[in-house]
Amino acid sequence: MKELGTLDPRVYEDEDMLVGYPPPAFTPAPTPAPTPSPTYDLSFSQYFNPGNVEKTEGWAGAIPNVGYGDKDRFAIFSHPVMGIRALGRDIQTKIKSLDGDLSAIISKYAPPFENPTNDYTKYVTDAVGKSKVAEKDIPAIIKAIIEFENDSDMAKGYLQKGMMEEAMKLVPFDMPAGTTLHEARELAK
């Protein structure tokens, strides 16, 4: 037991309270109930890549060393929220590098040598309602891309309640390759 100088050396075990003084009232703060993670129907896709994002970027949520398409070119994601997030990050980068020119963004995203780029650009521009876009337009751009790239049942799967919103909350965060949805949710808190 350490010496307390002129104070009464008869102390409680924690040596912070003097004998004869009542311990302070302690009321622990209520523990907030954990926010439940949303439950989504995941039966609509096996790749969880709504925009055919290429695996070259080392995306958070991408399953390493696997892919689909010609030469396994496209990433397979562990959860559709992470695939939508990757699409959002890709579009965010293109908005910045191409000064918000939606035609240029779609031309780079879906080049004419493998896509009906003119139809694609018209569809997305009509859906977004303008040809000059900013980061605030990412959800509308992604929704249009999902609708254009996928059949209606798969598009409905990606656009089910809450999925797009959750993915959009994750877009601003830098995350290393291999980050799971659970880890991404923790990072975004």
Side-chain angles (χ1 to χ4, degrees), residues 1-84:
M1 199 178 286
K2 70 180 181 181
E3 185 64 42
L4 295 178
T6 60
L7 299 176
D8 186 345
R10 295 169 290 151
V11 294
Y12 286 97
E13 286 181 18
D14 66 359
E15 299 185 0
D16 292 330
M17 303 292 298
L18 298 177
V19 174
Y21 291 90
F26 177 74
T27 306
T31 304
T35 304
S37 296
T39 302
Y40 303 115
D41 172 15
L42 303 180
S43 64
F44 61 89
S45 175
Q46 59 182 341
Y47 304 125
F48 301 141
N49 188 346
N52 295 320
V53 174
E54 294 182 358
K55 68 181 187 179
T56 57
E57 299 298 322
W59 298 106
I63 300 169
N65 304 317
V66 296
Y68 69 96
D70 186 36
K71 298 180 183 175
D72 290 339
R73 178 175 158 202
F74 303 108
I76 296 174
F77 290 90
S78 59
H79 196 281
V81 167
M82 297 305 283
I84 297 168

Side-chain angles (χ1 to χ4, degrees), residues 43 159 163:
S43 64
L159 298 172
M163 191 174 290

Side-chain angles (χ1 to χ4, degrees), residues 23 57 85 95 166-167 174:
E57 299 298 322
R85 177 198 172 270
I95 288 171
E166 182 172 15
D174 290 332

Side-chain angles (χ1 to χ4, degrees), residues 78-110:
S78 59
H79 196 281
V81 167
M82 297 305 283
I84 297 168
R85 177 198 172 270
L87 177 55
R89 296 282 293 190
D90 191 27
I91 296 302
Q92 180 182 50
T93 299
K94 287 173 174 54
I95 288 171
K96 290 176 183 176
S97 68
L98 299 169
D99 197 31
D101 180 341
L102 190 53
S103 179
I105 291 166
I106 298 302
S107 292
K108 187 170 183 175
Y109 179 79

Side-chain angles (χ1 to χ4, degrees), residues 78-172:
S78 59
H79 196 281
V81 167
M82 297 305 283
I84 297 168
R85 177 198 172 270
L87 177 55
R89 296 282 293 190
D90 191 27
I91 296 302
Q92 180 182 50
T93 299
K94 287 173 174 54
I95 288 171
K96 290 176 183 176
S97 68
L98 299 169
D99 197 31
D101 180 341
L102 190 53
S103 179
I105 291 166
I106 298 302
S107 292
K108 187 170 183 175
Y109 179 79
F113 68 87
E114 62 185 2
N115 292 280
T117 305
N118 290 334
D119 294 341
Y120 208 141
T121 300
K122 180 173 177 9
Y123 185 84
V124 176
T125 302
D126 288 349
V128 174
K130 54 186 165 180
S131 60
K132 183 81 166 175
V133 294
E135 286 189 35
K136 67 181 169 85
D137 300 309
I138 292 173
I141 296 166
I142 290 175
K143 181 178 185 290
I145 288 173
I146 289 171
E147 291 169 347
F148 195 87
E149 289 277 346
N150 300 280
D151 66 36
S152 63
D153 287 338
M154 194 172 296
K156 284 179 191 171
Y158 286 116
L159 298 172
Q160 64 189 280
K161 183 174 175 40
M163 191 174 290
M164 172 79 86
E165 293 81 1
E166 182 172 15
M168 290 302 96
K169 288 178 185 174
L170 301 176
V171 167

